[in-house]
Every structure is written in C-alpha cells, then in structure tokens.
Amino acid sequence: MNIPEIFAENVFNHEVMKSRLPKNIYKALLKTINNGAAMDMTTADIVANTIKDWAVEKGATHYTHWFQPLTGSTAEKHDSFISTTPSGNAIMEFSGKELVKGEPDASSFPSGGLRQTSTARGYTAWDPTSYCFVKEGSLYIPTVFVSYTGEILDKKTPLLRSMDALSRSAVRFLRLFGNDRVTRVTSTVGAEQEYFLIDKKMYDQREDLILTDRTLFGANPPKGQELDDQYFANLKPRIAEYMADLDVELWKLGIYSKTKHNEVAPAQHEMAPIFTTSNLGTDQNELAMEVMKKVALRHGLVCLLHEKPFKGVNGSGKHNNWSMSTDDGQNLLDPGDTPMENLQFLTILCALIKGVDEYADLMRISAASAGNDHRLGADEAPPAIISMFLGEELDAVLKAIEEDGVYKTQTSTFEIGINALPSFPKDSTDRNRTSPFAFTGNRFEFRMVGSSDNIACPNALLNTIVAEELSWFADSLESFKGSDNFESEVKKLLKDVLKKHRRIIFNGDGYSPEWIQEAERRGLPNYASTVDCLPHYTDEKNVRIFRKFNIYTPNELKARTEVLLETYSKTIRIEARTMVEMARRKLLPAALDYISCVCRSISVKKQIGMTCNSEEKIAAKLNALADSFYDSIERLESQLESACKINDIRKQAEYFHDYVLAEMDIMRSVADEIEMNMPCDKWPIPTYTAMIYNI
Ligand code: ADP
Ligand code: MG
C-alpha cells in the first residue's frame, strides 16, 4: 500500500486548495483561514464551486454542514447538489451562500433554555480553519452552530474563541522575551483514543450495551488484568485486521493515525494520531470515533467508547496531549537549549502551574460526565483531584528558583541566576501514569478526559486558563521589558508564584489513599462526581475569565451547566430503566426458572428416598437472592419515579446520584451474585469471560 498516495485522498486540504483554486482566490482563502478576514461572495462562490467539483469527482452527490451540538455527538443533514434547469433536467450546483451558511431547524438540539421552540432557528457557519472532506457520498463541511440571537449552541465555537484568546495573550507574552517575529500561537492536541472491541453477536444479546454502551450487570471473570499480560501484548489476528483496516480509513480522511497497541485491560486497545491544531484535532477525533465504530461492524465487532464498559476492568480515557506552537515553528513547551529560551519556558511553566491551581475546578469540569465518574479514581485512571506532575529534574529547578538555591545535575552545579540556567534534558524523569496532568518532555498530557468525550471542551478550558495566565504575566512584567532588571523581576515573580501555587505539584502516586488526605491538607478540591463539580462552572472567578476572553457569556455558561446536569440525569435514568427492564424480564425469570427446576429435582429425588443436600442449599440461597433482587427492582422503580418528579435541575441530578445510582449498585451486586450461583447455560446474557476473552 502506498500510504502517502491514499493519505488525505478524501480531504480538501491546503494542497488540494492550492492546486485547484485560482491563485488570487487561494490567497483570499488563506487570508480568511489565517487571519479570519471576511470573504466576499464572489470569492465564496468560486471556492464553493471548486469544492463541489472536487467532491463530485470523489463520488459525492450531497453536502452537509457538519457540527458538534451539545448532544455529545456530531450532527449532519444532507442536501443534494441537485438544481433544476429550465428544460427540466438536473444539474449539480453549489453556491458560496450554501457553503458559508446553513439554517437547520435546530429546535431539537439541547440549548439549556437559550432557544425556545418558537424561535427554533439556528445557524451553521462554515469554519474554514478546518478541512472539508468526502465520506459516504457526501461533502462534509465543518461548521459552528449558533442560535438566531447569536448564542453559541455547540462545542466548537468556544474552542475557536479560546484559540484566538490564547494566541493574543501568548503573542503579547512572547514580545516580553524579545520575540518580535511571532504573530500567531496555536494550541495543539494529540488525543490518544482508548477503546474496547467485543463480538457483535454478544453485544446484540445485551440490552445494557445496546442502550447504554456499558454493562450494567456482569460478575467479574476469574482472570482480570492482574498478570499485566495485555498491555502491548501481540495482537490477535482479528484485532490486527481491524486495526489495519481502521488505519487505512483514517488515513484516507487525513487523520494521522500513528500508533496502535493493546491496552491494559483485556479487549482494550488504543489508537494515537500525530498531533495537530486543537481545531483540526477535535474534528479528527470526532471523525475517528465514528470511523472506529463503523469499521468494527465490518469485522463483526462492536467498538465500545464508553469510559467504563466493564466494572472491575480498566476504563478508557482519552489522553489529551496539549501544547502551543508558534507560527515560526517553535513548541512553547520545549525547554530549549539557551538560557533565554529557558527563562521563557520556565515562565510559561509557572503560568501553567498558577492556572491549573487557580482553575482546578474547571479542569475537573472539562472531564465530567456520568460515564467518566466510574473511571476517575478507580483502577488505572487518574484520581478526581487535579494535580500536576513535572518530574524530578524540573521540580528541582523550580525549587532552586524558589529558594535562591543551586540546581545540580549529575555533571555540574548551576547558580540559579537565570542567565546560568542549565539546559536540561527533556526526558529526564520517569513517567507518572497516575497524574491527571503530567509534563511529558515537550507537552502536557491531560489524562482525565473520558474516552467518549468531545475534546473541544477540555481544550477550550485549558486554552482559556493559559490565555488568562499569560496575560497576567504580561501585565506584571511589561513595564520591565527591555530593562536591565527584566531577568531579576521575572525571577522574583516566578518565586512568588511558586510559593503560592506549589501545592498543585505532586510527583507521587496519585492512586494512593494517602494522596487524598494530603490533597485535602493542601486545600486542593476533590470533586468526586459530576454533580459535585458542575455547579462550580458558574463560580464568580470562572464567569469572569470566560467573559474577559469572550468565550462564554454568563448566560451561555449557565445554559451549558444546565445541559450537562440534565444529560447526567438522563444518562442515569436510561441506565436505571434498562436495569429494571433487564432484571424483570430476563434475569429474574431466569433465576426463578432455575430455582423451580432445582425444586422439581428435589421433590423427585425425595420421592425415591435420595438426599438433596446440595439442591436444597442452592435453592435456598438463590431464593433469598431472588427475593432481595425483586425488592431492589421495586425500590429502584420507585426512586426513578421520585427522581423524575423533581423540577430543579441540580437537585434532580443530585437525587439521581445519591439515590438512583446507589440503588443501581445494590441491584447489580445482587444480580452478579445470582449469576455466580447459576449454571452458565441458564444465564440469559453473555458473561464477562465470554465478552472480553472470546475475540
Ligand atoms: P505516550 O504513550 O508516550 O503517551 P503516544 O505516542 O501514545 O505516547 O502519544 C503521544 C501523543 O502526544 C501523540 O498523539 C503525539 O502526537 C502527541 N504529541 C506530541 N507532541 C505534541 C505537541 N507538541 N502537542 C500536542 N500533542 C503532542
Ligand atoms: Mg500517553
């Protein structure tokens, strides 16, 4: 296979733009892409027509504005290119207006009360900074989605706004350090995507997987991941074929799928792409998740993206690798080799330390969902407490700054008089898999994000936080720019910042119970669940930075919080209903059937004078379990009813968390015990062993 040849063959990327568009039009488009310059209609018409011709050659008959509403998935509505001619024939047409703006009747998308059904109009607007692509006979046009009155209704707009905010602050910041060339700083992301693959035939037998993407029942298999024999293990043939097929499909769509391997849990795998801009990275991750699911079906498999599809088995995350690049190709989180670059790097590092400490709640919120709640804090996942891992060497450098001390490497000793700052090796320390936000040499890896999450939100929040801190440093240091004491003033400031915010740095084991106590002592927030953290979205300090950088208005922020809380409640409601349905109509009848079968055997055996010790014990045990199972079903149903009667969105979510979810746990443990006491062939749904080992 010739990878460079197939790579991005279905993408209208820069190369295609350049080769297909007239020179002046290409230049105008570049201006729009790079500087956000408005595009006149004549230019838009030519661009649209060119894209259409290209798409039709690729087999497209339709186009769709593709957007990312607050539902958590992508949305599309397809229109054909068809137009009528006076003679009654059809021609393929596509105008600039159709490219630039769409008007989906959007009343069915969540808006958190920002849009009533009576004013249902929503607009999609072309986002030229991402690429159009062709898939399944349609031209996909990445767009943002806003309401008639201009409120944002999607996940992409805040991301794009945050990228602008970050760029402005970062450019201003870089000027302090004598960098006059850079005009744009772009946030970058490489999202490592974890997923599970199971056989479609088993999936089809489980309503919980079909309706909720996770198993609501299921006893643990005798063998879990304790032998650590899954991570990086060689690939089973069926999995290898899937991954090969997936790579090709992703490459065609211009997604730089680079790394693939087995993950820690049985049946768990990972795909990591090469990083790109946050904007493109977000679109590509959404697309990758869709393609992963579709390709799986071709192989008789189902790809599960839920954060915790199997209880007691590692969950899936999406390691969000984040950094910033300048338009002259510098990675701002690269420590660099010279003292001045070092100073700039250390200041950026301190800006991140300050930001993550001050806005730890936002970081936590950016990864909050009902699904991810099962993961954070359990097994291999990072804990729900936000902290930063820097590694020993960087930590030592920062300590030296703080204490006016000396920094020692193995070979030499440096006075920390900034000028003499050492160039330190990038990979100077071990990795820390337990940290939610870890420095990995030239980027930060945010590991809290859930596997099914859209990464727009975490990246938008991260960008906004960093925009705020870089502009704070610029405010504090601008008056010293170019002066002799600039370096000493920077050093003084870093020292202050570190004194105040060092508490967020933690290089130890984030899974240990001691860390929870230590974090509490340090005053770090520990929001165990989505309902604990979401209300802080609208805390005054958060409202302030979102407003300052024009990311969300207070109204938009309130609406978003409500949508997230509602989604939380709805998710648990669906899960609870699914449990009740499976329990009443499948699991309990199976248990009762078996009990009566055992009882029949007892009565037959007794008639001919045989002993029935084991049968009697089994029947009694299962009968008691079935009784408590029945009671639990009744309780869960009545709690569901009470929950649905609560009008206040926050109180309702809390009720779902405190009562419904708690009862679901009880019910599950009873069911799992019943399963362990039933013959395999009498249990009506596939077992964990069958699902995760039988691929
Ligand atoms: P690891 O297992 O070490 O975390 P992977 O190769 O699985 O490594 O993933 C690392 C991810 O980080 C890749 O997606 C990679 O492209 C991404 N990455 C590397 N450099 C940057 C950067 N400057 N900005 C954002 N992401 C980056
Ligand atoms: Mg990683």
Side-chain angles (χ1 to χ4, degrees):
M1 182 190 326
N2 187 339
I3 299 175
E5 201 160 283
I6 62 163
F7 189 80
E9 70 175 21
N10 295 329
V11 184
F12 195 78
N13 59 14
H14 274 87
E15 205 179 314
V16 186
M17 287 175 206
K18 198 170 172 184
S19 71
R20 296 241 176 182
L21 289 167
K23 217 175 192 165
N24 59 330
I25 302 289
Y26 174 64
K27 267 195 184 147
L29 179 57
L30 276 191
K31 258 195 198 140
T32 303
I33 294 173
N34 296 334
N35 315 328
M39 183 181 279
D40 64 74
M41 262 307 144
T42 329
T43 310
D45 277 333
I46 299 172
V47 174
N49 196 50
T50 311
I51 298 185
K52 185 256 306 170
D53 286 345
W54 169 84
V56 168
E57 281 169 34
K58 298 275 169 200
T61 52
H62 289 65
Y63 69 92
T64 175
H65 276 201
W66 185 63
F67 57 102
Q68 299 173 24
L70 301 181
T71 53
S73 39
T74 54
E76 51 194 51
K77 169 182 135 250
H78 303 256
D79 283 300
S80 74
F81 291 119
I82 282 192
S83 261
T84 53
T85 65
S87 58
N89 286 328
I91 49 163
M92 301 294 256
E93 263 184 355
F94 188 48
S95 69
K97 203 168 144 248
E98 287 166 313
L99 167 68
V100 171
K101 192 172 119 188
E103 255 183 68
D105 169 15
S107 54
S108 303
F109 291 105
S111 73
L114 282 179
R115 200 178 66 264
Q116 324 302 186
T117 320
S118 53
T119 56
R121 205 183 290 210
Y123 290 115
T124 49
W126 177 37
D127 165 20
T129 59
S130 186
Y131 294 135
C132 296
F133 55 92
V134 167
K135 182 170 73 71
E136 294 149 12
S138 278
L139 167 69
Y140 282 71
I141 302 157
T143 58
V144 297
F145 181 41
V146 294
S147 77
Y148 181 65
T149 43
E151 275 115 352
I152 50 179
L153 301 172
D154 70 343
K155 306 208 172 197
K156 277 296 288 294
T157 315
L159 176 68
L160 295 173
R161 290 177 175 178
S162 77
M163 290 175 75
D164 272 345
L166 178 68
S167 181
R168 280 195 304 273
S169 293
V171 168
R172 213 184 124 203
F173 174 89
L174 290 175
R175 296 284 184 264
L176 291 177
F177 290 82
N179 185 330
D180 291 323
R181 304 173 310 275
V182 169
T183 60
R184 173 118 192 134
V185 172
T186 311
S187 59
T188 52
V189 66
E192 300 163 51
Q193 177 72 49
E194 292 180 339
Y195 61 98
F196 279 84
L197 286 177
I198 62 164
D199 196 291
K200 172 90 163 51
K201 287 198 237 37
M202 310 224 185
Y203 173 91
D204 286 338
Q205 294 170 56
R206 296 202 54 139
E207 287 83 355
D208 48 3
L209 285 176
I210 294 171
L211 298 175
T212 73
D213 224 29
R214 77 176 177 109
T215 54
L216 300 167
F217 299 103
N220 271 334
K223 175 177 187 274
Q225 59 205 39
E226 56 273 62
L227 293 179
D228 287 324
D229 53 353
Q230 306 295 329
Y231 193 54
F232 287 7
N234 65 6
L235 303 171
K236 293 180 181 172
R238 201 170 164 198
I239 303 300
E241 277 165 32
Y242 166 78
M243 287 180 169
D245 207 3
L246 176 65
D247 273 340
V248 173
E249 293 303 326
L250 294 176
W251 288 333
K252 283 188 199 162
L253 287 166
I255 299 170
Y256 309 93
S257 175
K258 169 95 176 157
T259 309
K260 51 188 182 188
H261 60 79
N262 279 345
E263 257 300 329
V264 174
Q268 193 187 28
H269 317 281
E270 180 183 295
M271 185 282 291
I274 298 175
F275 72 97
T276 175
T277 67
S278 305
N279 180 22
L280 212 49
T282 298
D283 284 1
Q284 293 192 342
N285 182 251
E286 288 297 301
L287 203 50
M289 289 194 284
E290 182 191 326
V291 173
M292 287 165 96
K293 284 190 166 279
K294 285 186 174 157
V295 172
L297 292 176
R298 298 210 293 250
H299 292 256
L301 297 165
V302 173
C303 171
L304 301 175
L305 293 171
H306 192 280
E307 285 75 18
K308 198 79 176 173
F310 302 101
K311 193 183 174 186
V313 172
N314 260 12
S316 299
K318 182 140 52 193
H319 295 174
N320 189 97
N321 292 273
W322 177 92
S323 189
M324 298 172 275
S325 292
T326 61
D327 54 0
D328 64 352
Q330 224 191 118
N331 175 358
L332 291 181
L333 288 181
D334 192 328
D337 300 323
T338 62
M340 210 47 195
E341 276 173 10
N342 255 207
L343 181 59
Q344 180 187 301
F345 166 75
L346 288 172
T347 312
I348 292 174
L349 193 64
C350 287
L352 270 145
I353 291 168
K354 180 170 180 287
V356 174
D357 188 31
E358 285 175 342
Y359 297 98
D361 51 353
L362 286 184
M363 304 273 295
R364 171 68 183 89
I365 286 165
S366 79
S369 70
N372 216 14
D373 277 1
H374 298 290
R375 173 178 166 257
L376 298 181
D379 291 326
E380 279 267 298
I385 307 163
I386 296 280
S387 67
M388 285 169 97
F389 170 84
L390 300 179
E392 279 163 38
E393 184 129 33
L394 267 188
D395 208 41
V397 173
L398 295 182
K399 268 212 180 88
I401 293 180
E402 218 179 328
E403 293 157 7
D404 290 319
V406 288
Y407 164 73
K408 280 187 195 151
T409 62
Q410 274 156 345
T411 46
S412 45
T413 305
F414 295 90
E415 281 287 331
I416 302 291
I418 299 296
N419 254 331
L421 263 182
S423 66
F424 29 87
K426 279 179 207 157
D427 275 327
S428 54
T429 45
D430 197 7
R431 307 193 142 218
N432 183 333
R433 291 175 57 90
T434 66
S435 175
F437 199 66
F439 186 67
T440 48
N442 59 1
R443 61 188 186 270
F444 270 96
E445 187 169 332
F446 183 36
R447 301 208 180 95
M448 250 189 193
V449 183
S451 48
S452 67
D453 277 349
N454 183 312
I455 58 172
C457 175
N459 287 293
L461 299 196
L462 203 48
N463 290 346
T464 308
I465 294 168
V466 179
E468 161 70 0
E469 301 305 343
L470 292 180
S471 88
W472 182 86
F473 272 88
D475 288 343
S476 315
L477 292 169
E478 240 155 26
S479 58
F480 304 104
K481 191 186 162 192
S483 80
D484 288 345
N485 48 2
F486 178 70
E487 286 182 23
S488 62
E489 289 298 331
V490 174
K491 195 182 152 195
K492 230 193 315 185
L493 195 61
L494 296 190
K495 212 169 138 177
D496 285 350
V497 166
L498 284 170
K499 280 235 157 70
K500 231 165 133 192
H501 300 286
R502 156 162 291 287
R503 63 173 189 167
I504 197 74
I505 302 169
F506 178 63
N507 291 325
D509 179 2
Y511 298 161
S512 68
E514 295 81 51
W515 169 229
I516 297 181
Q517 286 156 19
E518 165 70 12
E520 199 181 324
R521 216 177 39 71
R522 294 187 189 186
L524 298 176
N526 180 5
Y527 300 123
S529 79
T530 298
V531 286
D532 293 331
C533 68
L534 272 181
H536 294 283
Y537 218 170
T538 47
D539 282 358
E540 209 185 307
K541 69 176 177 63
N542 299 335
V543 171
R544 192 191 59 80
I545 57 165
F546 287 128
R547 208 210 299 246
K548 175 172 171 188
F549 292 101
N550 184 30
I551 311 294
Y552 297 122
T553 63
N555 255 348
E556 287 168 343
L557 195 58
K558 188 167 157 269
R560 229 147 257 251
T561 311
E562 288 189 358
V563 169
L564 289 168
L565 281 170
E566 269 176 345
T567 305
Y568 177 86
S569 294
K570 285 178 189 164
T571 305
I572 296 186
R573 191 176 73 205
I574 294 169
E575 289 181 351
R577 282 182 175 166
T578 306
M579 272 188 118
V580 169
E581 156 116 3
M582 287 174 78
R584 266 203 207 290
R585 305 184 62 191
K586 257 191 175 166
L587 306 186
L588 186 59
L592 296 179
D593 251 9
Y594 180 57
I595 294 169
S596 78
C597 161
V598 175
C599 289
R600 274 199 304 277
S601 147
I602 294 173
S603 84
V604 170
K605 282 171 91 179
K606 279 207 167 143
Q607 276 173 21
I608 52 171
M610 285 173 90
T611 59
C612 315
N613 281 345
S614 56
E615 280 102 328
E616 276 172 358
K617 281 185 191 146
I618 291 170
K621 189 173 184 185
L622 274 173
N623 200 49
L625 284 168
D627 284 348
S628 44
F629 195 34
Y630 179 84
D631 291 344
S632 179
I633 300 171
E634 294 278 298
R635 281 198 306 270
L636 186 56
E637 269 192 324
S638 93
Q639 268 153 5
L640 261 172
E641 213 171 293
S642 312
C644 294
K645 282 192 194 126
I646 302 172
N647 285 324
D648 182 272
I649 291 174
R650 178 169 168 189
K651 288 211 175 85
Q652 188 183 50
E654 282 167 359
Y655 191 93
F656 269 107
H657 175 267
D658 296 347
Y659 296 96
V660 179
L661 202 58
E663 188 60 47
M664 284 163 63
D665 277 345
I666 295 172
M667 188 164 156
R668 178 185 182 136
S669 60
V670 179
D672 291 355
E673 203 175 337
I674 295 177
E675 181 189 337
M676 294 305 286
N677 284 281
M678 294 261 300
C680 285
D681 64 330
K682 298 236 159 24
W683 192 241
I685 52 176
T687 63
Y688 269 30
T689 305
M691 284 185 288
I692 60 185
Y693 286 107
N694 280 2
I695 293 268

